[in-house]
Amino acid sequence: MEIRSKLGNENIMKMRKVAFFCSRKEPAGLKNAVDRWIDSLKSDKLCVMCGDQSSMEKHVFSSLLERKIPAILVLAEAMHEQWSEPVSAALGSGLLLIITHCGPDVHAVCARSAFDRNALMMSLANEIVVGYCSKGGNLERGLAGYNNVKYLVGNQDRDTKMADSSPLQGGRSYAGRNNFAKSQNVEGNVQGGRSINGRNFSANKGFSSGFGQGGRAVAGQAANSGGQWSRRLDLGYSTIYFDFNEAGRDVYIKLTQSTKSADGKYDRHKIFMDRSEFRAFYDTIGYVTRTVERNEKLDNNIVVRSASGDISLNMVMSEGMKMCMMTQEKELQTMGHRRQTIGFCVTELSAFYDVVIDAARYWRIIS
């Protein structure tokens, strides 16, 4: 992602940059939290980057101009030819820089240009501040993998944590797996733990490096207040959530793996795909599952292309277990790359594939 056009004081880019984001849907009382955050800003220490799409982003931008806080307005369309009086005044005083990654042919904001604009801001920012992030939207999709994020309304992973600790509802068995009690899973998870890519893997007694032996994977309907399709797959040491979510006119599937760490907190990794990408993912998982079942050799460099980051699939050994690892990586302009990994024992692969099939049928990729 590169900056195609600039207007204003380019020296602002040398300051410490705080990027502000907010989803269009926002909870009651958010404006008070945002205003308190703006009041805490030191105009001589930093600048604030923001867009001008959601109502809260517009509020933040106008507040920055009023308080004469250095600002960078990041557009998701071509550079405008005319500006309002407050914007023109800020440009004239040297307190504003306007940038865009779009060429002159992009005359209106679309989901793709907004997503790329957010990615540009995140890559340039020293710190990311989020007023509110709707689950499953473009903003959540873009934030996956960043650890320099502050949420003004508190921990927005709370709903997912509650789902982790709730009993399985609507559970049904896939691929002959049995529904084990939570207490059995917890007892198994503390044995033989080893870290791979920052994730903890457990050498549970029921697992082996062979396929189809002793795997514990249970899929069921996940809690989803929006009424959208969702599934949860309970594995030996973690849970994978499958969710379809809308972002404007676009629909994405989100795979979230939630793993409880030794300190009682939850580590989450997320992979995103659109419809065409998920079709390729479905084909790839089908190929891998059939190849492993037949005890045949897998092709090297298995990759599914995605605008959210290409997804590579590898088999690795850990504590005598063969693990299936899916890693989504996205190259960023100034911060290396974003990396998210979902992994599970190969004995659980067919159960994972069953849920992928269910998702493909729901999305009418297959009949």
Side-chain angles (χ1 to χ4, degrees):
M1 199 72 58
E2 62 179 8
I3 299 172
R4 300 282 295 274
S5 298
K6 301 178 185 177
L7 178 65
N9 184 4
E10 296 186 26
N11 288 326
I12 296 177
M13 191 68 77
K14 299 176 183 178
M15 302 179 71
R16 177 177 175 80
K17 292 174 283 295
V18 179
F20 177 83
F21 298 94
C22 189
S23 296
R24 291 180 182 275
K25 296 180 180 179
E26 58 191 57
L30 177 61
K31 184 176 180 296
N32 291 334
V34 171
D35 286 342
R36 286 194 298 271
W37 169 69
I38 295 175
D39 288 340
S40 70
L41 297 176
K42 307 292 185 182
S43 61
D44 59 334
K45 300 293 184 181
L46 51 79
C47 69
V48 177
M49 293 190 297
C50 65
D52 60 349
Q53 282 186 268
S54 73
S55 61
M56 193 55 65
E57 288 170 345
K58 293 178 184 293
H59 171 69
V60 167
F61 181 58
S62 63
S63 297
L64 296 173
L65 299 185
E66 290 174 6
R67 298 166 188 249
K68 301 188 182 306
I69 297 173
I72 301 176
L73 175 63
V74 189
L75 303 178
E77 56 187 325
M79 189 68 70
H80 300 177
E81 295 183 359
Q82 295 183 331
W83 300 97
S84 67
E85 183 176 339
V87 172
S88 297
L91 287 169
S93 65
L95 290 175
L96 178 62
L97 173 65
I98 304 173
I99 63 175
T100 179
H101 67 284
C102 297
D105 56 328
V106 183
H107 302 297
V109 178
C110 63
R112 180 75 264 173
S113 67
F115 181 82
D116 289 343
R117 183 272 313 276
N118 289 352
L120 174 62
M121 291 174 61
M122 293 170 192
S123 69
L124 293 172
N126 302 107
E127 179 184 354
I128 297 171
V129 173
V130 179
Y132 181 75
C133 177
S134 297
K135 288 187 175 297
N138 270 337
L139 180 55
E140 184 191 39
R141 188 180 176 213
L143 287 169
Y146 284 95
N147 56 14
N148 60 337
V149 183
K150 174 184 177 182
Y151 294 93
L152 295 184
V153 295
N155 185 2
Q156 295 175 14
D157 282 337
R158 179 172 47 202
D159 293 339
T160 306
K161 288 186 178 182
M162 291 174 63
D164 288 340
S165 59
S166 65
L168 180 66
Q169 304 196 5
R172 62 183 193 266
S173 176
Y174 277 83
R177 268 61 175 178
N178 295 320
N179 189 343
F180 281 73
K182 278 280 183 182
S183 59
Q184 291 174 299
N185 286 343
V186 172
E187 289 175 0
N189 285 345
V190 299
Q191 301 176 16
R194 180 184 175 188
S195 175
I196 298 178
N197 293 332
R199 314 294 294 280
N200 293 322
F201 295 95
S202 308
N204 296 333
K205 292 180 179 179
F207 289 154
S208 71
S209 59
F211 184 80
Q213 301 177 14
R216 298 187 303 184
V218 183
Q221 185 73 31
N224 191 320
S225 59
Q228 297 170 316
W229 182 97
S230 62
R231 294 287 184 273
R232 61 179 282 173
L233 180 64
D234 284 354
L235 304 175
Y237 69 96
S238 69
T239 299
I240 298 180
Y241 297 89
F242 296 72
D243 298 283
F244 281 107
N245 293 282
E246 296 182 3
R249 291 177 295 178
D250 298 325
V251 179
Y252 302 98
I253 187 167
K254 177 180 66 174
L255 277 59
T256 305
Q257 184 167 39
S258 180
T259 307
K260 192 172 184 178
S261 57
D263 60 2
K265 298 181 180 179
Y266 288 90
D267 295 324
R268 292 179 180 83
H269 281 213
K270 301 174 183 179
I271 289 177
F272 297 85
M273 287 167 279
D274 65 21
R275 192 175 192 278
S276 63
E277 297 162 356
F278 188 69
R279 170 76 221 207
F281 184 78
Y282 160 78
D283 290 338
T284 299
I285 297 301
Y287 155 72
V288 172
T289 302
R290 290 187 295 271
T291 302
V292 172
E293 284 179 329
R294 297 167 185 165
N295 200 27
E296 297 174 351
K297 185 177 180 180
L298 286 169
D299 294 339
N300 295 324
N301 301 319
I302 302 175
V303 177
V304 177
R305 303 297 178 189
S306 171
S308 298
D310 292 345
I311 303 168
S312 60
L313 192 148
N314 297 286
M315 299 292 179
V316 301
M317 295 299 298
S318 173
E319 300 289 344
M321 295 187 300
K322 184 180 287 187
M323 307 295 298
C324 179
M325 308 296 293
M326 303 170 193
T327 301
Q328 185 170 51
E329 296 187 81
K330 178 74 171 181
E331 293 297 327
L332 302 173
Q333 184 176 2
T334 61
M335 295 180 63
H337 63 270
R338 183 177 68 231
R339 181 186 180 96
Q340 296 280 279
T341 298
I342 287 177
F344 48 83
C345 182
V346 74
T347 59
E348 300 162 327
L349 179 58
S350 64
F352 179 85
Y353 182 41
D354 282 337
V355 186
V356 170
I357 292 173
D358 201 3
R361 285 176 177 155
Y362 175 84
W363 220 345
R364 297 182 180 177
I365 291 173
I366 60 174
S367 58

